[in-house]
């Protein structure tokens, strides 16, 4: 798997590069600013981009905008963005296309090597990965609007993991349910939220996230 990495902090960039290489990834470019990132994404044509949202020269959303511009020129380019904190605006902008192959991960998650590599691989494969704290914020907003009051505590647990991009099998393992129990909870959630069911895991995630963002 060919990866372009963008991170302005040298020690973190070096550590992520080593981690990716140790897990079989080829880091074809490792850059520290927005213009270099855009150039690398267009010229090196990686399988996935791992991008810090805030990069020089503006230190605002330079990394995200460079990645999104590359995605406009290369539709479907997988993008996993890293951030110091949850910013709902950035999450919404990343998800706006509704096509998947995107992820939003807080930087403190990258210290968990297994979780970080899993996120990179799932995004590269076309999946949608959202940090649990992003999901919590979206759920809190939806709850404040009375949109998910009908869900049981167990259904909320399933919904949160579903929105993180987990399959029914993965949810069953994490919550110590049977797979059939997770399927029943999922069907109930879709019914209560009036979301059309889907057998495609990624479309299911995007449907849930679209609902939570309303």
């Amino acid at each position: 798997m060919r990866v372009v990495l963008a991170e302005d902090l040298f020690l973190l960039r070096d550590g992520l590069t080593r981690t990716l290489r140790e897990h079989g990834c080829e880091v074809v470019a490792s850059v520290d600013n927005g213009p270099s990132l855009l150039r690398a994404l267009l010229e090196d044509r990686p399988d996935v981009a791992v991008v810090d949202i805030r990069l020089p020269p503006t230190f605002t959303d330079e990394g995200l905008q460079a990645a999104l511009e590359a995605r406009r020129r290369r539709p479907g380019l997988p993008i996993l963005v890293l951030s110091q904190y949850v910013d709902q605006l950035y999450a919404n902008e990343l998800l706006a296309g509704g096509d998947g192959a995107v992820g939003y991960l807080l930087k403190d998650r990258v210290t968990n090597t297994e979780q970080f590599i899993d996120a990179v691989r799932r995004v590269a494969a076309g999946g949608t990965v959202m940090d649990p704290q992003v999901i919590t914020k979206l759920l809190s907003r939806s709850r404040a609007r009375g949109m998910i009051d009908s869900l049981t505590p167990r259904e909320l647990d399933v919904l949160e993991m579903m929105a993180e991009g987990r399959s029914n099998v993965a949810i069953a393992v994490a919550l110590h349910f049977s797979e059939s129990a997770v399927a029943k909870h999922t069907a109930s959630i879709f019914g209560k939220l009036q979301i059309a069911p889907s057998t495609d895991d990624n479309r299911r995630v995007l449907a849930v996230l679209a609902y939570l963002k309303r």
Side-chain angles (χ1 to χ4, degrees):
M1 182 167 56
R2 291 162 50 83
V3 182
V4 163
L5 172 65
E7 167 58 54
D8 65 301
L9 297 176
F10 171 76
L11 290 178
L12 180 55
R13 185 170 70 252
D14 184 62
L16 292 176
T17 298
R18 290 172 182 270
T19 297
L20 288 164
R21 287 174 174 163
E22 286 170 0
H23 288 80
C25 300
E26 179 187 0
V27 180
V28 295
S30 178
V31 302
D32 64 359
N33 64 82
S36 295
L37 169 60
L38 180 58
R39 185 164 54 252
L41 292 175
L42 296 177
E43 293 178 359
D44 295 315
R45 303 186 67 82
D47 299 311
V48 61
V50 178
V51 179
D52 184 3
I53 286 179
R54 298 190 173 202
L55 291 175
T58 66
F59 286 104
T60 54
D61 60 350
E62 191 84 6
L64 175 62
Q65 294 307 322
L68 292 177
E69 176 60 26
R71 189 175 167 103
R72 282 189 281 271
R73 301 191 201 182
R74 276 191 60 197
L77 170 67
I79 301 169
L80 173 63
V81 301
L82 306 177
S83 179
Q84 291 279 20
Y85 56 87
V86 175
D87 189 307
Q88 197 166 306
L89 177 63
Y90 293 157
N92 290 348
E93 193 165 3
L94 185 65
L95 291 163
D99 298 322
V102 294
Y104 188 119
L105 203 63
L106 293 185
K107 282 189 175 180
D108 59 8
R109 306 285 179 192
V110 303
T111 59
N112 183 324
T113 300
E114 183 177 337
Q115 188 175 37
F116 171 61
I117 294 298
D118 177 63
V120 172
R121 287 173 175 161
R122 283 200 284 149
V123 170
T128 301
V129 177
M130 288 289 111
D131 192 282
Q133 288 192 36
V134 177
I135 303 306
T136 298
K137 191 164 186 176
L138 293 174
L139 283 170
S140 297
R141 188 178 72 167
S142 298
R143 185 179 290 110
R145 296 181 180 181
M147 296 163 61
I148 56 175
D149 289 343
S150 62
L151 300 185
T152 68
R154 281 302 190 188
E155 287 170 348
L156 285 171
D157 289 340
V158 172
L159 175 62
E160 183 169 349
M161 297 201 72
M162 192 191 312
E164 289 174 21
R166 303 295 176 179
S167 66
N168 280 6
V169 174
I171 294 172
V173 171
L175 297 180
H176 307 291
F177 288 171
S178 66
E179 191 175 344
S180 61
V182 174
K184 289 179 181 178
H185 282 307
T186 301
S188 178
I189 290 166
F190 281 129
K192 290 178 179 179
L193 299 186
Q194 299 181 336
I195 298 174
S198 172
T199 56
D200 183 297
D201 283 342
N202 197 52
R203 293 296 174 190
R204 181 178 73 167
V205 171
L206 292 171
V208 170
L209 290 171
Y211 180 86
L212 294 178
K213 289 191 298 177
R214 289 195 307 175

